[in-house]
Amino acid sequence: MATTSRTPVAALWDWQRHAACRGMSSSVFYAAPGARGAPRRELEQRAQQICGDCPVRRRCAEFALVTRETYGVWGGLTEAERADRLGTGRKRGPGRAR
């Protein structure tokens, strides 16, 4: 039987083994479709608290930015924060909270 080694692709994801969120439901980091206002902000804040002490937070945020991850909280960055950093943020009109 041949031994398995880490492939280059597997190495790209290896950092996730050390994530504080490992084993948690993804629903902690992804708002329900159509979620707005206070419920969405509360979900994002809870997710950011988990990310706060994560040993791979920076790597996770970098991954989300490089891959242009559209949804969820990654490395403590919300969808809007990533869009702002990438310059793809939506223009906010009157009444649209940040």
Coordinates of all heavy atoms in Angstrom, one line a residue:
M1 N 0.8 -1.2 0.0 CA 0.0 0.0 0.0 C 0.9 1.2 0.0 O 1.8 1.3 0.8 CB -0.9 0.0 1.2 CG -1.8 1.2 1.3 SD -2.9 1.1 2.7 CE -4.3 0.3 2.1
A2 N 0.6 2.2 -0.9 CA 1.4 3.4 -1.0 C 1.1 4.3 0.2 O -0.1 4.4 0.7 CB 1.1 4.1 -2.3
T3 N 2.0 5.1 0.6 CA 1.8 6.1 1.6 C 1.3 7.3 1.0 O 1.6 7.6 -0.2 CB 3.1 6.4 2.4 OG1 4.1 6.9 1.5 CG2 3.6 5.2 3.1
T4 N 0.5 8.1 1.7 CA 0.0 9.3 1.1 C 0.8 10.5 1.7 O 1.3 10.4 2.8 CB -1.5 9.5 1.5 OG1 -1.6 9.5 2.9 CG2 -2.4 8.4 0.9
S5 N 1.0 11.4 0.8 CA 1.7 12.6 1.2 C 0.7 13.8 1.0 O -0.2 13.7 0.2 CB 3.0 12.8 0.5 OG 2.7 13.0 -0.9
R6 N 1.1 14.9 1.5 CA 0.3 16.1 1.3 C 0.5 16.6 -0.1 O 1.6 16.8 -0.5 CB 0.7 17.2 2.3 CG 0.3 16.8 3.7 CD 0.4 18.0 4.6 NE 0.1 17.6 5.9 CZ 0.2 18.3 7.0 NH1 0.6 19.5 6.8 NH2 -0.1 17.8 8.1
T7 N -0.6 16.8 -0.7 CA -0.5 17.4 -2.1 C -0.4 18.9 -2.0 O -0.8 19.5 -0.9 CB -1.8 17.0 -2.9 OG1 -2.9 17.6 -2.3 CG2 -1.9 15.5 -3.0
P8 N 0.0 19.6 -3.0 CA 0.1 21.1 -2.9 C -1.3 21.7 -2.6 O -1.4 22.6 -1.9 CB 0.6 21.5 -4.3 CG 1.3 20.3 -4.8 CD 0.6 19.1 -4.2
V9 N -2.3 21.1 -3.1 CA -3.7 21.6 -2.9 C -4.0 21.4 -1.4 O -4.6 22.4 -0.8 CB -4.7 20.9 -3.8 CG1 -6.1 21.4 -3.4 CG2 -4.5 21.2 -5.2
A10 N -3.7 20.3 -0.8 CA -4.0 20.1 0.6 C -3.3 21.1 1.5 O -3.8 21.6 2.5 CB -3.7 18.7 1.0
A11 N -2.0 21.4 1.1 CA -1.3 22.4 1.9 C -1.9 23.8 1.9 O -1.8 24.5 2.9 CB 0.2 22.5 1.3
L12 N -2.6 24.1 0.8 CA -3.3 25.4 0.8 C -4.4 25.5 1.8 O -4.7 26.6 2.3 CB -4.0 25.6 -0.6 CG -3.0 25.8 -1.8 CD1 -3.8 25.9 -3.1 CD2 -2.2 27.1 -1.6
W13 N -4.9 24.4 2.2 CA -6.0 24.3 3.2 C -5.6 23.9 4.6 O -6.3 23.9 5.6 CB -7.1 23.4 2.7 CG -7.8 23.9 1.5 CD1 -7.5 23.7 0.2 CD2 -9.0 24.7 1.5 NE1 -8.4 24.3 -0.6 CE2 -9.3 25.0 0.2 CE3 -9.8 25.3 2.5 CZ2 -10.4 25.8 -0.2 CZ3 -10.9 26.1 2.1 CH2 -11.1 26.3 0.8
D14 N -4.3 23.5 4.8 CA -3.8 23.0 6.0 C -4.0 23.9 7.2 O -4.3 23.4 8.3 CB -2.3 22.6 5.9 CG -1.8 21.8 7.0 OD1 -2.5 20.7 7.3 OD2 -0.9 22.2 7.7
W15 N -4.0 25.2 7.0 CA -4.1 26.1 8.1 C -5.5 26.0 8.8 O -5.6 26.3 10.0 CB -4.0 27.6 7.6 CG -4.9 27.9 6.5 CD1 -4.7 27.8 5.1 CD2 -6.2 28.5 6.6 NE1 -5.8 28.2 4.4 CE2 -6.8 28.7 5.3 CE3 -7.0 28.9 7.7 CZ2 -8.0 29.2 5.1 CZ3 -8.3 29.4 7.5 CH2 -8.8 29.6 6.1
Q16 N -6.5 25.5 8.1 CA -7.8 25.3 8.7 C -7.8 24.4 9.8 O -8.7 24.4 10.7 CB -8.8 25.0 7.6 CG -9.1 26.1 6.6 CD -10.2 25.7 5.7 OE1 -10.6 24.6 5.6 NE2 -10.7 26.7 4.9
R17 N -6.9 23.4 9.9 CA -6.9 22.5 11.0 C -6.7 23.2 12.3 O -7.0 22.6 13.4 CB -5.7 21.5 10.8 CG -5.9 20.5 9.6 CD -4.8 19.5 9.5 NE -3.5 20.0 9.6 CZ -2.6 19.6 10.6 NH1 -3.0 18.7 11.5 NH2 -1.4 20.1 10.7
H18 N -6.1 24.4 12.3 CA -5.8 25.1 13.5 C -6.8 26.2 13.9 O -6.6 26.9 14.8 CB -4.4 25.7 13.4 CG -3.4 24.7 13.0 ND1 -2.9 23.7 13.9 CD2 -2.7 24.5 11.9 CE1 -2.0 22.9 13.3 NE2 -1.9 23.4 12.0
A19 N -7.9 26.3 13.1 CA -8.8 27.4 13.2 C -9.7 27.2 14.5 O -10.1 26.1 14.8 CB -9.7 27.4 12.0
A20 N -10.0 28.3 15.1 CA -10.9 28.3 16.3 C -12.3 27.8 15.9 O -13.0 27.3 16.8 CB -11.0 29.7 16.9
C21 N -12.7 28.0 14.7 CA -14.0 27.6 14.3 C -14.1 26.1 13.8 O -15.2 25.6 13.5 CB -14.5 28.5 13.1 SG -13.5 28.3 11.6
R22 N -13.0 25.4 13.8 CA -13.0 24.0 13.4 C -14.1 23.2 14.1 O -14.2 23.2 15.3 CB -11.7 23.4 13.6 CG -11.6 22.0 13.0 CD -10.1 21.5 12.9 NE -10.0 20.2 12.6 CZ -10.0 19.7 11.3 NH1 -10.1 20.6 10.3 NH2 -9.9 18.4 11.1
G23 N -14.9 22.6 13.3 CA -16.0 21.7 13.9 C -17.3 22.5 14.2 O -18.3 21.9 14.5
M24 N -17.3 23.8 14.1 CA -18.5 24.6 14.3 C -19.4 24.6 13.1 O -18.9 24.4 12.0 CB -18.2 26.0 14.7 CG -17.5 26.2 16.0 SD -17.3 28.0 16.2 CE -16.7 28.0 17.9
S25 N -20.7 24.8 13.3 CA -21.6 24.9 12.3 C -21.3 26.2 11.4 O -21.0 27.2 12.0 CB -23.0 25.0 12.8 OG -23.9 25.4 11.8
S26 N -21.4 26.0 10.1 CA -21.1 27.2 9.3 C -22.2 28.3 9.5 O -21.9 29.5 9.2 CB -21.0 26.8 7.8 OG -22.3 26.2 7.4
S27 N -23.3 27.9 10.0 CA -24.4 28.9 10.2 C -23.9 30.0 11.2 O -24.5 31.1 11.3 CB -25.6 28.3 10.7 OG -25.4 27.7 12.0
V28 N -22.9 29.8 12.0 CA -22.3 30.8 12.9 C -21.7 31.9 12.1 O -21.6 33.0 12.6 CB -21.3 30.1 13.9 CG1 -20.6 31.1 14.7 CG2 -22.0 29.0 14.7
F29 N -21.2 31.6 10.9 CA -20.4 32.6 10.1 C -21.1 33.1 8.9 O -20.6 34.0 8.2 CB -19.1 31.9 9.7 CG -18.3 31.5 10.9 CD1 -18.4 30.3 11.5 CD2 -17.5 32.5 11.6 CE1 -17.7 29.9 12.6 CE2 -16.8 32.1 12.7 CZ -16.9 30.8 13.3
Y30 N -22.3 32.5 8.6 CA -23.0 32.9 7.4 C -24.5 33.3 7.7 O -25.2 32.5 8.3 CB -23.1 31.7 6.4 CG -21.8 31.4 5.8 CD1 -20.9 30.5 6.4 CD2 -21.4 32.0 4.6 CE1 -19.7 30.2 5.8 CE2 -20.1 31.7 4.0 CZ -19.3 30.8 4.6 OH -18.1 30.5 4.1
A31 N -24.8 34.6 7.4 CA -26.1 35.1 7.7 C -27.2 34.4 6.8 O -26.8 34.0 5.6 CB -26.2 36.6 7.4
A32 N -28.3 34.2 7.3 CA -29.4 33.6 6.4 C -29.7 34.5 5.3 O -29.6 35.8 5.4 CB -30.7 33.5 7.3
P33 N -30.1 34.0 4.1 CA -30.4 34.8 3.0 C -31.5 35.9 3.4 O -32.4 35.6 4.0 CB -31.0 33.8 2.0 CG -30.4 32.5 2.4 CD -30.3 32.6 3.8
G34 N -31.2 37.1 3.0 CA -32.1 38.2 3.3 C -32.0 38.8 4.7 O -32.6 39.8 5.0
A35 N -31.1 38.3 5.5 CA -30.9 38.8 6.9 C -30.3 40.2 6.8 O -29.4 40.5 6.0 CB -29.9 37.9 7.7
R36 N -30.9 41.1 7.5 CA -30.5 42.5 7.5 C -30.5 43.1 8.9 O -31.0 42.4 9.9 CB -31.5 43.3 6.7 CG -31.6 42.9 5.2 CD -30.5 43.6 4.4 NE -30.7 43.3 3.0 CZ -30.1 42.3 2.3 NH1 -29.3 41.5 3.0 NH2 -30.3 42.1 1.0
G37 N -30.0 44.3 9.1 CA -30.2 45.0 10.3 C -29.5 44.3 11.5 O -28.5 43.7 11.4
A38 N -30.2 44.5 12.7 CA -29.6 44.0 13.9 C -29.3 42.5 13.9 O -28.3 42.1 14.4 CB -30.6 44.4 15.1
P39 N -30.2 41.6 13.4 CA -29.9 40.2 13.4 C -28.6 39.9 12.7 O -27.8 39.1 13.1 CB -31.1 39.6 12.8 CG -32.2 40.5 13.0 CD -31.6 41.9 12.9
R40 N -28.4 40.5 11.5 CA -27.2 40.3 10.8 C -26.0 40.8 11.5 O -24.9 40.2 11.6 CB -27.3 41.0 9.4 CG -26.1 40.7 8.5 CD -26.2 41.4 7.2 NE -25.2 40.9 6.3 CZ -25.4 39.8 5.5 NH1 -26.5 39.2 5.4 NH2 -24.4 39.4 4.7
R41 N -26.1 42.0 12.1 CA -24.9 42.6 12.8 C -24.6 41.7 14.0 O -23.4 41.5 14.3 CB -25.2 44.0 13.3 CG -25.1 45.0 12.2 CD -25.2 46.5 12.7 NE -26.4 46.8 13.4 CZ -27.6 47.1 12.8 NH1 -27.7 47.2 11.5 NH2 -28.6 47.4 13.6
E42 N -25.6 41.2 14.7 CA -25.3 40.3 15.9 C -24.6 39.0 15.5 O -23.7 38.6 16.1 CB -26.7 40.0 16.6 CG -27.3 41.2 17.3 CD -28.7 40.9 17.8 OE1 -29.2 39.8 17.8 OE2 -29.3 41.9 18.2
L43 N -25.0 38.4 14.4 CA -24.4 37.2 13.9 C -22.9 37.6 13.5 O -22.0 36.8 13.9 CB -25.1 36.7 12.6 CG -24.4 35.5 12.0 CD1 -25.4 34.4 11.6 CD2 -23.5 35.9 10.8
E44 N -22.7 38.7 12.8 CA -21.3 39.1 12.5 C -20.5 39.3 13.7 O -19.3 38.9 13.8 CB -21.4 40.3 11.6 CG -21.9 40.0 10.2 CD -22.1 41.2 9.3 OE1 -22.2 42.4 9.8 OE2 -22.2 41.0 8.1
Q45 N -21.0 40.0 14.7 CA -20.3 40.2 15.9 C -19.9 39.0 16.7 O -18.8 38.8 17.2 CB -21.1 41.2 16.8 CG -21.1 42.6 16.3 CD -22.0 43.5 17.0 OE1 -22.8 43.1 17.9 NE2 -22.0 44.8 16.7
R46 N -20.8 38.0 16.7 CA -20.6 36.7 17.4 C -19.4 36.0 16.6 O -18.5 35.5 17.2 CB -21.8 35.9 17.5 CG -22.8 36.2 18.6 CD -23.8 35.2 18.8 NE -24.6 34.8 17.6 CZ -25.7 35.4 17.2 NH1 -26.2 36.4 17.9 NH2 -26.3 35.1 16.1
A47 N -19.5 36.0 15.3 CA -18.5 35.4 14.5 C -17.1 36.0 14.7 O -16.1 35.4 14.9 CB -18.9 35.4 13.0
Q48 N -17.1 37.4 14.7 CA -15.9 38.1 14.9 C -15.3 37.8 16.3 O -14.0 37.8 16.4 CB -16.1 39.6 14.7 CG -16.3 39.9 13.2 CD -16.7 41.4 13.0 OE1 -17.5 42.0 13.7 NE2 -16.1 41.9 11.9
Q49 N -16.1 37.6 17.3 CA -15.6 37.2 18.6 C -14.8 35.9 18.6 O -13.8 35.7 19.2 CB -16.7 37.2 19.7 CG -17.2 38.5 20.0 CD -18.4 38.4 21.0 OE1 -19.1 37.4 21.1 NE2 -18.6 39.5 21.7
I50 N -15.4 34.9 17.8 CA -14.7 33.6 17.7 C -13.4 33.8 17.0 O -12.4 33.3 17.3 CB -15.6 32.6 17.0 CG1 -16.9 32.3 17.8 CG2 -14.9 31.4 16.6 CD1 -18.0 31.7 17.1
C51 N -13.4 34.6 15.9 CA -12.2 34.9 15.1 C -11.1 35.7 15.9 O -10.0 35.6 15.6 CB -12.5 35.7 13.9 SG -13.6 34.8 12.7
G52 N -11.6 36.4 16.9 CA -10.7 37.3 17.7 C -9.4 36.7 18.2 O -8.4 37.3 18.1
D53 N -9.5 35.5 18.7 CA -8.4 34.8 19.3 C -7.9 33.7 18.5 O -7.1 32.8 19.0 CB -8.7 34.3 20.7 CG -8.9 35.5 21.7 OD1 -8.3 36.5 21.6 OD2 -9.8 35.3 22.6
C54 N -8.3 33.6 17.3 CA -8.0 32.4 16.4 C -6.5 32.5 16.0 O -6.1 33.6 15.5 CB -8.9 32.4 15.2 SG -8.5 31.0 14.1
P55 N -5.8 31.4 16.1 CA -4.3 31.5 15.7 C -4.1 31.6 14.2 O -3.0 32.0 13.8 CB -3.8 30.1 16.2 CG -5.0 29.2 16.3 CD -6.1 30.1 16.7
V56 N -5.1 31.4 13.4 CA -5.0 31.5 11.9 C -5.9 32.6 11.4 O -6.1 32.6 10.2 CB -5.2 30.1 11.2 CG1 -4.2 29.1 11.6 CG2 -6.6 29.6 11.5
R57 N -6.2 33.5 12.2 CA -7.1 34.6 11.8 C -6.6 35.3 10.5 O -7.3 35.5 9.6 CB -7.4 35.5 12.9 CG -8.2 36.7 12.5 CD -8.4 37.7 13.6 NE -9.2 38.8 13.2 CZ -9.7 39.7 13.9 NH1 -9.3 39.8 15.2 NH2 -10.4 40.7 13.5
R58 N -5.4 35.7 10.6 CA -4.8 36.5 9.5 C -4.7 35.6 8.2 O -5.1 36.1 7.1 CB -3.4 36.9 9.9 CG -2.7 37.8 8.9 CD -1.5 38.3 9.5 NE -0.6 38.9 8.4 CZ 0.5 39.5 8.6 NH1 1.0 39.5 9.8 NH2 1.2 40.0 7.6
R59 N -4.3 34.4 8.3 CA -4.3 33.5 7.1 C -5.7 33.3 6.5 O -5.9 33.3 5.3 CB -3.7 32.2 7.5 CG -3.6 31.1 6.4 CD -2.6 31.6 5.4 NE -2.7 30.6 4.3 CZ -3.3 30.8 3.1 NH1 -3.9 31.9 2.9 NH2 -3.3 29.9 2.2
C60 N -6.7 33.2 7.4 CA -8.1 33.0 7.0 C -8.6 34.3 6.2 O -9.2 34.2 5.1 CB -8.9 32.7 8.2 SG -10.7 32.4 7.8
A61 N -8.3 35.4 6.8 CA -8.7 36.7 6.1 C -8.0 36.8 4.8 O -8.6 37.2 3.8 CB -8.4 37.9 7.0
E62 N -6.7 36.5 4.7 CA -6.0 36.6 3.5 C -6.5 35.7 2.4 O -6.7 36.0 1.3 CB -4.5 36.3 3.7 CG -3.7 37.3 4.5 CD -2.3 36.9 4.9 OE1 -1.9 35.7 4.6 OE2 -1.6 37.7 5.5
F63 N -6.9 34.5 2.9 CA -7.5 33.5 2.0 C -8.8 34.0 1.4 O -9.0 33.9 0.2 CB -7.7 32.2 2.7 CG -8.4 31.1 1.9 CD1 -7.7 30.3 1.0 CD2 -9.8 31.0 1.9 CE1 -8.3 29.4 0.2 CE2 -10.4 30.0 1.1 CZ -9.7 29.2 0.3
A64 N -9.6 34.6 2.2 CA -10.9 35.1 1.8 C -10.7 36.2 0.8 O -11.5 36.4 -0.2 CB -11.7 35.5 3.0
L65 N -9.7 37.1 1.0 CA -9.5 38.2 0.1 C -8.9 37.7 -1.2 O -9.4 38.2 -2.3 CB -8.5 39.2 0.8 CG -9.1 40.0 2.0 CD1 -8.0 40.7 2.8 CD2 -10.2 41.0 1.5
V66 N -8.0 36.8 -1.2 CA -7.3 36.3 -2.4 C -8.3 35.6 -3.3 O -8.4 35.7 -4.5 CB -6.1 35.4 -2.1 CG1 -5.6 34.7 -3.3 CG2 -5.0 36.3 -1.5
T67 N -9.2 34.8 -2.6 CA -10.2 34.0 -3.4 C -11.5 34.8 -3.6 O -12.4 34.2 -4.2 CB -10.5 32.7 -2.6 OG1 -11.0 33.0 -1.4 CG2 -9.2 31.8 -2.5
R68 N -11.5 36.0 -3.1 CA -12.7 36.8 -3.3 C -13.9 36.1 -2.8 O -15.0 36.1 -3.4 CB -12.8 37.3 -4.7 CG -11.7 38.2 -5.1 CD -11.9 38.8 -6.5 NE -10.9 39.8 -6.8 CZ -10.9 41.1 -6.6 NH1 -12.0 41.6 -6.1 NH2 -9.9 41.9 -6.9
E69 N -13.8 35.6 -1.6 CA -14.9 34.9 -0.9 C -16.0 36.0 -0.7 O -15.8 37.0 -0.1 CB -14.5 34.3 0.4 CG -15.6 33.6 1.2 CD -16.1 32.4 0.4 OE1 -15.3 31.6 -0.1 OE2 -17.4 32.3 0.4
T70 N -17.2 35.7 -1.2 CA -18.3 36.7 -1.3 C -19.1 36.7 0.0 O -19.6 37.7 0.5 CB -19.2 36.4 -2.4 OG1 -18.5 36.3 -3.6 CG2 -20.3 37.5 -2.6
Y71 N -19.3 35.5 0.6 CA -20.2 35.4 1.8 C -19.5 35.0 3.1 O -18.5 34.4 3.1 CB -21.3 34.3 1.4 CG -22.1 34.7 0.2 CD1 -21.8 34.0 -1.0 CD2 -23.0 35.7 0.2 CE1 -22.5 34.3 -2.2 CE2 -23.7 36.0 -1.0 CZ -23.5 35.3 -2.1 OH -24.2 35.6 -3.3
G72 N -20.2 35.4 4.2 CA -19.8 35.0 5.5 C -18.7 35.8 6.1 O -18.2 36.8 5.5
V73 N -18.3 35.5 7.3 CA -17.2 36.1 8.1 C -16.0 35.2 8.0 O -16.1 34.0 8.3 CB -17.6 36.4 9.6 CG1 -16.5 36.9 10.3 CG2 -18.8 37.3 9.6
W74 N -14.9 35.7 7.5 CA -13.7 35.0 7.3 C -12.6 35.8 8.0 O -12.4 37.0 7.7 CB -13.4 34.8 5.9 CG -14.2 33.8 5.1 CD1 -15.5 34.0 4.7 CD2 -13.8 32.5 4.7 NE1 -15.9 32.8 4.1 CE2 -14.9 31.9 4.1 CE3 -12.6 31.8 4.8 CZ2 -14.9 30.7 3.5 CZ3 -12.6 30.5 4.2 CH2 -13.7 30.0 3.6
G75 N -11.9 35.2 8.9 CA -10.7 35.9 9.5 C -11.2 37.1 10.2 O -10.4 38.1 10.4
G76 N -12.4 37.2 10.7 CA -12.9 38.3 11.4 C -13.4 39.4 10.5 O -13.9 40.5 11.0
L77 N -13.3 39.2 9.2 CA -13.8 40.2 8.2 C -15.2 39.9 7.7 O -15.4 38.7 7.3 CB -12.8 40.4 7.0 CG -11.4 40.8 7.3 CD1 -10.6 40.8 6.1 CD2 -11.4 42.2 8.0
T78 N -16.1 40.8 7.8 CA -17.4 40.6 7.2 C -17.4 40.7 5.7 O -16.4 41.2 5.1 CB -18.4 41.6 7.8 OG1 -18.0 42.9 7.3 CG2 -18.4 41.6 9.3
E79 N -18.5 40.4 5.1 CA -18.7 40.5 3.6 C -18.4 42.0 3.2 O -17.6 42.2 2.3 CB -20.1 40.1 3.2 CG -20.4 38.7 3.5 CD -21.9 38.4 3.4 OE1 -22.7 39.2 2.9 OE2 -22.2 37.3 3.8
A80 N -19.0 42.9 3.9 CA -18.8 44.3 3.6 C -17.4 44.8 3.8 O -16.8 45.6 3.0 CB -19.7 45.2 4.4
E81 N -16.7 44.3 4.9 CA -15.3 44.7 5.1 C -14.4 44.2 4.0 O -13.5 44.9 3.6 CB -14.9 44.2 6.5 CG -15.5 45.0 7.6 CD -15.4 44.3 9.0 OE1 -15.1 43.1 9.0 OE2 -15.5 45.0 10.0
R82 N -14.6 43.0 3.6 CA -13.8 42.4 2.5 C -14.1 43.2 1.2 O -13.1 43.5 0.5 CB -14.1 40.9 2.3 CG -13.5 40.1 3.4 CD -13.5 38.6 3.1 NE -14.7 38.1 2.6 CZ -15.7 37.8 3.4 NH1 -15.6 37.9 4.7 NH2 -16.9 37.3 2.9
A83 N -15.3 43.5 0.9 CA -15.7 44.2 -0.3 C -15.0 45.6 -0.3 O -14.5 46.1 -1.3 CB -17.2 44.4 -0.4
D84 N -15.0 46.3 0.9 CA -14.3 47.6 1.0 C -12.8 47.5 0.7 O -12.3 48.3 0.0 CB -14.6 48.2 2.4 CG -16.0 48.7 2.5 OD1 -16.7 48.9 1.5 OD2 -16.4 48.9 3.7
R85 N -12.2 46.5 1.3 CA -10.8 46.3 1.1 C -10.4 46.0 -0.4 O -9.4 46.4 -0.8 CB -10.2 45.2 2.0 CG -10.2 45.6 3.4 CD -9.5 44.6 4.2 NE -9.5 45.0 5.6 CZ -8.7 44.5 6.6 NH1 -7.8 43.6 6.2 NH2 -8.8 44.9 7.8
L86 N -11.3 45.3 -1.0 CA -11.1 44.9 -2.4 C -11.6 46.0 -3.4 O -11.4 45.9 -4.6 CB -11.8 43.6 -2.8 CG -11.2 42.4 -2.1 CD1 -12.1 41.2 -2.2 CD2 -9.8 42.1 -2.6
G87 N -12.2 47.0 -2.9 CA -12.7 48.1 -3.7 C -14.0 47.7 -4.5 O -14.3 48.2 -5.5
T88 N -14.6 46.6 -4.0 CA -15.9 46.2 -4.7 C -17.1 46.4 -3.9 O -18.2 45.9 -4.2 CB -15.8 44.7 -5.0 OG1 -15.6 44.0 -3.7 CG2 -14.6 44.3 -5.9
G89 N -17.0 47.3 -2.8 CA -18.1 47.6 -2.0 C -19.2 48.3 -2.7 O -19.0 49.0 -3.7
R90 N -20.4 48.0 -2.3 CA -21.6 48.7 -2.9 C -21.7 50.1 -2.4 O -21.4 50.4 -1.3 CB -22.9 47.9 -2.6 CG -22.9 46.6 -3.2 CD -24.3 46.0 -2.9 NE -24.4 44.6 -3.4 CZ -24.6 43.6 -2.7 NH1 -24.8 43.7 -1.4 NH2 -24.6 42.4 -3.2
K91 N -22.1 50.9 -3.3 CA -22.4 52.3 -2.9 C -23.6 52.3 -1.9 O -24.6 51.6 -2.2 CB -22.7 53.2 -4.1 CG -21.6 53.2 -5.1 CD -20.9 54.5 -5.0 CE -19.9 54.5 -6.1 NZ -18.6 54.9 -5.8
R92 N -23.5 53.0 -0.9 CA -24.6 53.0 0.1 C -25.4 54.3 -0.1 O -24.9 55.4 0.1 CB -24.0 52.9 1.5 CG -23.2 51.7 1.7 CD -22.8 51.5 3.1 NE -21.7 50.5 3.3 CZ -21.9 49.2 3.1 NH1 -23.0 48.7 2.8 NH2 -20.8 48.4 3.3
G93 N -26.7 54.1 -0.3 CA -27.6 55.2 -0.5 C -28.2 55.6 0.8 O -27.8 55.1 1.9
P94 N -29.0 56.7 0.8 CA -29.7 57.1 2.0 C -30.4 55.9 2.7 O -31.1 55.1 2.0 CB -30.7 58.1 1.5 CG -30.2 58.6 0.2 CD -29.4 57.4 -0.4
G95 N -30.3 55.9 4.0 CA -31.0 54.8 4.7 C -30.3 53.5 4.7 O -30.8 52.5 5.4
R96 N -29.2 53.3 4.0 CA -28.5 52.1 4.0 C -27.3 52.1 5.0 O -26.3 52.8 4.8 CB -27.9 51.8 2.7 CG -29.1 51.5 1.7 CD -28.6 51.0 0.4 NE -28.1 49.6 0.6 CZ -27.7 48.9 -0.4 NH1 -27.6 49.3 -1.6 NH2 -27.2 47.6 -0.2
A97 N -27.5 51.4 6.1 CA -26.5 51.5 7.2 C -25.2 50.7 6.8 O -25.3 49.8 6.0 CB -27.1 50.8 8.5
R98 N -24.2 51.1 7.3 CA -22.9 50.4 7.1 C -22.7 49.3 7.9 O -23.0 49.1 9.0 CB -21.8 51.4 7.3 CG -20.5 50.9 6.8 CD -19.6 52.1 6.7 NE -19.0 52.1 5.4 CZ -17.8 51.6 5.2 NH1 -17.0 51.2 6.1 NH2 -17.3 51.6 4.0

